[in-house]
Amino acid sequence: MAVNRFGQTARKDLWWVRPLMVFIGLFSFIVYATWAAFQGEHYAIGPYISPFYSPEIFGNSPHSWFGPKPSWWPAVLGFSPALLILWAPGGMRLTCYYYRGAYYKSFWADPPACAVSEPRKTYRGENSLPLILQNVHRYFLYLAILFVIVLFYDAWKALWFVDPATGQEHFGIGVGTIVLTLNATLLGGYTFGCHSFRHLVGGFKDQLSRSPVQRKVYNCASCLNKRHMNWAWCSLFGVAFADIYVRLCSMGIWTDWRIF
Ligand code: FES
């Protein structure tokens, strides 16, 4: 059968459910993350900092690396510490091999699903502008690895609470500690299962079996890579939830229960 009208297909299953769910999931995340990034407040409490704001290069919380917003910052731009950094993990997700396949289908129907007709006649692929720019993915990966290290450091810092009476730091575990640790773990699973990471740690070699250590790392990355889609979604919801958790605790709406 000739299939050439948009959405025409011989498929009898509910092929549109998956792209619709992807659209709802990604669109909701983008709306929330954009809103949260522009708030510029309620992103830290005690030893916790929201992953949307970490590393806090400039800012007013005690987590800031280089102190408050610099005086030379143009007022017209407004300021939120998240805006200085979110382009990096955002770029990683935008250019991710999994997300590309998902949002090409659900956001611009190219095609909406396998064996379903698309709304255009030509196929430009990723060999010409603008989609050839997706090749920057490997560089976003290098940045994402640094972010994962920072987020694990944040999880470590989330184990040290200041006693308000004495001003002394002491070891403790709160629900927020678990939330931040889980978030860093999920983002680690997503990042180290990246196709580009797999290539970086051994995929480029002709005879990987000659380098046993490299082969082990490659096998680990391959193992994570098999579930890359699951890691992508879990880490997406995990990072949004970690921001919500810190935000609501900071606003006094939620109480951070201390487990230890
Ligand atoms: Fe998904 Fe690299 S392929 S993060």
Side-chain angles (χ1 to χ4, degrees):
M1 183 180 77
V3 177
N4 50 24
R5 186 167 46 79
F6 172 46
Q8 193 172 347
T9 181
R11 287 178 64 167
K12 298 269 187 282
D13 62 333
L14 299 176
W15 59 265
W16 47 271
V17 170
R18 181 181 278 238
L20 180 65
M21 299 303 287
V22 168
F23 179 84
I24 293 171
L26 285 182
F27 186 73
S28 310
F29 178 82
I30 291 166
V31 169
Y32 176 74
T34 306
W35 174 84
F38 277 94
Q39 296 312 296
E41 58 181 4
H42 296 303
Y43 57 85
I45 180 168
Y48 307 150
I49 180 166
S50 158
F52 283 175
Y53 284 77
S54 184
E56 184 184 8
I57 299 172
F58 295 113
N60 294 326
S61 92
H63 299 266
S64 173
W65 288 17
F66 300 108
K69 176 186 79 169
S71 53
W72 47 261
W73 186 264
V76 68
L77 293 181
F79 183 80
S80 165
L83 300 179
L84 298 179
I85 55 157
L86 274 190
W87 57 271
M92 167 90 162
R93 301 247 173 200
L94 187 72
T95 57
C96 164
Y97 289 74
Y98 161 67
Y99 281 118
R100 272 144 74 174
Y103 71 76
Y104 287 175
K105 292 185 181 75
S106 57
F107 276 73
W108 62 77
D110 196 14
C114 294
V116 179
S117 181
E118 56 191 322
R120 52 191 72 76
K121 301 255 183 296
T122 53
Y123 176 69
R124 292 162 60 84
E126 294 182 332
N127 288 324
S128 55
L129 281 171
L131 294 182
I132 197 169
L133 295 176
Q134 301 277 31
N135 283 314
V136 298
H137 183 63
R138 78 193 69 169
Y139 302 107
F140 280 119
L141 166 71
Y142 305 150
L143 289 171
I145 291 171
L146 298 179
F147 273 71
V148 170
I149 294 168
V150 169
L151 292 177
F152 270 110
Y153 179 59
D154 287 345
W156 165 255
K157 283 195 305 181
L159 290 164
W160 302 96
F161 296 80
V162 175
D163 186 329
T166 63
Q168 297 290 313
E169 263 191 356
H170 62 90
F171 178 81
I173 297 175
V175 173
T177 313
I178 296 170
V179 170
L180 294 187
T181 306
L182 199 59
N183 172 58
T185 307
L186 290 172
L187 286 171
Y190 171 60
T191 304
F192 298 120
C194 168
H195 296 265
S196 295
F197 183 74
R198 219 167 141 244
H199 176 79
L200 184 71
V201 296
F204 66 94
K205 283 204 144 184
D206 286 338
Q207 288 185 297
L208 195 53
S209 54
R210 292 191 168 189
S211 319
V213 175
Q214 213 170 356
R215 190 173 157 190
K216 271 206 166 59
V217 179
Y218 177 82
N219 287 344
C220 284
S222 301
C223 185
L224 292 171
N225 182 266
K226 277 186 204 151
R227 302 259 181 277
H228 193 52
M229 180 183 80
N230 298 357
W231 287 107
W233 282 107
C234 291
S235 60
L236 192 79
F237 287 119
V239 76
F241 181 74
D243 178 83
I244 291 169
Y245 186 85
V246 172
R247 187 169 297 282
L248 294 185
C249 287
S250 164
M251 294 169 79
I253 296 171
W254 280 0
T255 302
D256 179 55
W257 292 96
R258 195 69 58 79
I259 297 163
F260 180 75

